[in-house]
């Protein structure tokens, strides 16, 4: 729809004289006789004429303004519908992207599981080879020991044969030498056994470390048992850890710190919070008056309901723990900005609702009692005498709820309008008042 005000270059609240002066100026500048080289001069001149024909007549101008307001409202509604359609399409695309991402993550998880299984099999094979090597070494050591015992028995038999040929003193000396060798062999075997036990020992666990530091008290034993259960639960927990394991040198320090926190009753630090999700909710004035929750669709395809208790245009409603969710982190929030749809009759101003009341010239001068349409029905309004245009009448308690048990106001803006047809008496009166000729 063509804007006749912009065609003449005047404001929407311009008077008849200003519109007439603008029309004369425009018509003179774009007249075809003055622009013979311009093939579009006739069209522009005709458009200026049509604009002046509509705006110079108050009735036609009023109908044009009403029609234009309706067209603008329809355009705004179409824009809102397009935005909602775009939001639904974006949500669908986000849903597809999420499904693709989950599929890729599942494939990666399967690949990681296969790799871990292969690594476990390799580790088990290495342990089996190491055990076989140890068994072979042990068998070889047993064979060497048996060979040494056989040689010792043979030497003892030879010594007994010589002892029969010698005297008793030499036999006693040989028997003493045999006992000395047996004692030395037993000491050497005990030394080897102690060395093998030291090599095959395991590193001390949490209960051993606590017992070594704090003794064998029942409190220390209970704390060590709790630490052991926590360690086993951490190993069985699904998913990747949030941080890398600490150094073996720092493990005792971390163990002592955890034990001290448990004894003192100090809670562990809370996990980090996930980022918030931001969205918008387009609502009507009736939704704010009814204080009902409205549904919205997030980018990931989820639908949440937004409460409208004590909110107005521009407010942000925060939905706790309904945002993004990551392993090992606190769930984020959803921050929803409230947008109120502008209508032809009403405008939201904080918790107040604005509307326009057209009145005639005689009612503006003398005052009157009229009814104005409010968001919840017709409301009686008293227009005081000698009221001007843009004067505001405030009616408390008919606005939006503020969440504290109170409501805003209905702000009625007066707009003085002339009659559809000119009145000769009023025209003569205005002429006399302008020229200063009072009878």
């Amino acid at each position: 729809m063509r804007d006749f005000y912009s065609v003449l270059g005047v404001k929407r609240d311009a008077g008849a004289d200003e519109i007439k002066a603008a029309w004369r100026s425009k018509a003179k500048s774009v007249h075809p006789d003055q622009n013979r080289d311009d093939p579009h001069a006739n069209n522009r001149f005709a458009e200026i004429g049509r604009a002046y024909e509509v705006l110079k007549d108050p009735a036609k101008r009023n109908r044009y303004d009403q029609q234009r307001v309706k067209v603008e409202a329809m355009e705004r509604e179409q824009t809102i519908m397009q935005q909602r359609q775009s939001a639904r399409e974006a949500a669908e695309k986000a849903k597809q992207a999420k499904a693709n991402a989950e599929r890729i993550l599942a494939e990666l998880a399967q690949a990681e599981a296969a790799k871990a299984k292969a690594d476990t099999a390799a580790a088990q094979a290495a342990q089996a080879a190491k055990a076989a090597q140890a068994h072979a070494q042990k068998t070889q050591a047993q064979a060497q020991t048996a060979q040494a015992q056989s040689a010792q028995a043979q030497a003892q038999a030879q010594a007994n044969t010589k002892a029969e040929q010698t005297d008793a003193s030499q036999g006693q000396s040989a028997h003493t030498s045999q006992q000395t060798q047996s004692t030395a062999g037993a000491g050497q075997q005990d030394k080897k056994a102690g060395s093998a036990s030291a090599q095959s020992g395991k590193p001390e666990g949490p209960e051993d470390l606590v017992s070594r530091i704090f003794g064998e008290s029942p409190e220390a034993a209970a704390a060590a048992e709790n630490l052991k259960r926590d360690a086993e639960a951490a190993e069985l927990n699904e998913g990747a850890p949030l941080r890398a394991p600490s150094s073996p040198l720092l493990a005792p320090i971390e163990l002592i710190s955890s034990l001290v926190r448990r004894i003192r009753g100090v809670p562990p630090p809370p996990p980090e919070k996930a980022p918030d999700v931001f969205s918008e909710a387009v609502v009507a004035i009736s939704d704010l008056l009814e204080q009902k929750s409205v549904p919205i669709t997030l980018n990931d395809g989820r639908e949440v309901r937004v409460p409208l208790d004590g909110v107005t245009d521009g407010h942000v409603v925060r939905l706790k723990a309904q945002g993004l969710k990551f392993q090992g982190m606190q769930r984020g929030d959803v921050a929803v900005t409230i947008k109120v749809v502008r209508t032809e009759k009403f405008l939201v101003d904080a918790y107040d609702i604005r509307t326009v009341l057209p009145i005639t010239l005689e009612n503006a001068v003398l005052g009157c009692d009229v009814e104005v349409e409010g968001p919840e029905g017709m409301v009686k309004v008293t227009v005081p005498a000698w009221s001007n245009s843009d004067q505001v009448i405030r009616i408390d308690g008919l606005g939006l709820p503020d969440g504290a048990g109170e409501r805003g106001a209905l702000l009625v803006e007066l707009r003085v309008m002339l009659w559809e047809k000119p009145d000769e008496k009023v025209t003569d009166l205005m002429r006399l008042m302008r020229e200063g000729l009072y009878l």
Side-chain angles (χ1 to χ4, degrees):
M1 184 176 183
R2 185 61 171 162
D3 188 0
F4 288 157
Y5 292 102
S6 63
V7 171
L8 296 180
V10 296
K11 297 181 179 179
R12 295 190 178 183
D13 56 353
D17 295 338
E18 185 178 353
I19 292 175
K20 186 175 182 180
W23 168 70
R24 288 180 177 178
S25 177
K26 287 283 186 179
K28 185 178 180 180
S29 61
V30 301
H31 197 277
D33 294 339
Q34 301 293 334
N35 300 274
R36 296 181 178 180
D37 297 334
D38 188 359
H40 302 289
N42 290 327
N43 296 334
R44 290 202 301 270
F45 183 76
E47 186 179 24
I48 292 173
R50 287 194 299 270
Y52 179 66
E53 284 293 329
V54 172
L55 298 182
K56 74 176 182 179
D57 188 350
K60 293 182 179 179
R61 180 179 179 180
N62 188 20
R63 289 195 297 269
Y64 169 76
D65 291 339
Q66 293 178 359
Q67 186 178 2
R68 181 165 183 82
V69 170
K70 293 180 180 179
V71 171
E72 290 178 352
M74 292 177 60
E75 291 177 353
R76 286 194 298 269
E77 185 176 358
Q78 290 178 358
T79 302
I80 293 173
M81 296 300 296
Q82 291 176 358
Q83 291 177 353
R84 291 181 177 178
Q85 181 65 22
S86 300
R88 286 193 291 267
E89 293 177 356
E92 185 65 24
K93 292 181 180 179
K95 187 176 181 180
Q96 295 178 359
K98 181 181 179 182
N100 294 334
E102 291 178 350
R103 178 177 56 79
I104 294 174
L105 290 176
E107 294 177 355
L108 291 176
Q110 292 178 359
E112 290 291 337
K115 182 179 179 182
K117 186 176 181 180
D119 293 342
T120 303
Q124 291 177 356
Q127 291 179 357
K130 187 175 181 180
Q133 183 178 3
H135 182 70
Q137 291 178 356
K138 184 177 180 181
T139 304
Q140 184 178 1
Q142 290 177 356
Q144 292 177 357
T145 303
Q147 185 178 1
Q149 290 178 355
S150 176
Q152 185 178 0
Q154 185 177 1
Q156 186 176 2
Q158 292 178 359
N160 291 334
T161 303
K162 291 181 181 181
E164 291 176 358
Q165 298 176 0
T166 57
D167 54 356
S169 61
Q170 290 178 353
Q172 182 68 25
S173 177
H175 182 68
T176 303
S177 175
Q178 182 179 1
Q179 288 181 351
T180 302
Q181 291 178 0
S182 299
T183 302
Q188 187 174 3
Q189 290 179 358
D190 291 342
K191 185 175 181 181
K192 289 182 180 180
S195 176
S197 175
Q199 291 179 359
S200 63
K202 297 181 179 179
E204 58 183 355
E207 61 274 9
D208 299 332
L209 183 59
V210 174
S211 179
R212 180 167 58 83
I213 296 176
F214 297 97
E216 299 293 338
S217 62
E219 294 81 358
E225 185 65 24
N226 291 335
L227 291 176
K228 183 178 180 181
R229 286 198 299 268
D230 292 344
E232 293 175 354
E235 291 178 357
L236 296 176
N237 189 20
E238 296 181 358
L242 292 178
R243 59 177 182 177
S246 58
S247 172
L249 297 177
L250 299 179
I253 299 177
E254 294 180 356
L255 182 62
I256 295 173
S257 300
S258 178
L259 179 61
V260 171
R261 286 198 302 268
R262 287 182 175 274
I263 294 175
R264 293 182 177 179
V266 178
E272 186 179 356
K273 185 179 178 182
D276 295 338
V277 177
F278 297 92
S279 183
E280 290 186 355
V282 181
V283 299
I285 296 178
S286 59
D287 296 331
L288 298 179
L289 291 173
E290 295 173 359
Q291 300 285 283
K292 294 182 179 179
S293 60
V294 295
I296 62 171
T297 303
L298 303 179
N299 292 334
D300 57 0
R302 292 186 297 115
E303 184 177 283
V304 297
R305 300 193 68 87
V306 182
L308 301 179
D309 299 334
V311 300
T312 184
D313 188 28
H315 281 195
V316 178
V317 179
R318 184 171 293 274
L319 306 178
K320 297 290 186 180
Q322 296 192 32
L324 299 177
K325 184 179 180 182
F326 296 109
Q327 184 178 359
M329 301 179 69
Q330 291 184 0
R331 191 166 185 176
D333 302 337
V334 177
V336 183
T337 303
I338 304 299
K339 297 293 184 182
V340 180
V341 179
R342 296 186 61 180
T343 63
E344 179 181 351
K345 296 181 180 180
F346 303 108
L347 175 65
V348 174
D349 184 5
Y351 291 103
D352 299 332
I353 301 176
R354 290 182 173 272
T355 186
V356 177
L357 175 61
I359 59 174
T360 59
L361 181 60
E362 68 270 19
N363 289 334
V365 174
L366 302 177
C368 64
D369 292 332
V370 296
E371 288 188 348
V372 62
E373 183 179 357
E376 295 176 322
M378 302 303 295
V379 181
K380 291 184 178 180
V381 178
T382 299
V383 178
W386 211 255
S387 297
N388 293 323
S389 283
D390 299 334
Q391 183 175 342
V392 177
I393 300 176
R394 183 182 182 90
I395 306 175
D396 294 327
L398 296 181
L400 300 178
D402 59 358
E406 298 182 358
R407 294 180 60 176
L410 176 63
L411 304 180
V412 181
E413 180 181 347
L414 301 180
R415 187 70 53 85
V416 179
M417 304 292 292
L418 297 177
W419 300 275
E420 294 184 0
K421 295 181 179 181
D423 189 292
E424 294 181 358
K425 294 181 180 180
V426 175
T427 303
D428 293 339
L429 178 60
M430 295 297 107
R431 185 180 295 109
L432 291 175
M433 292 179 63
R434 185 179 65 180
E435 295 176 0
L437 299 177
Y438 298 98
L439 299 178

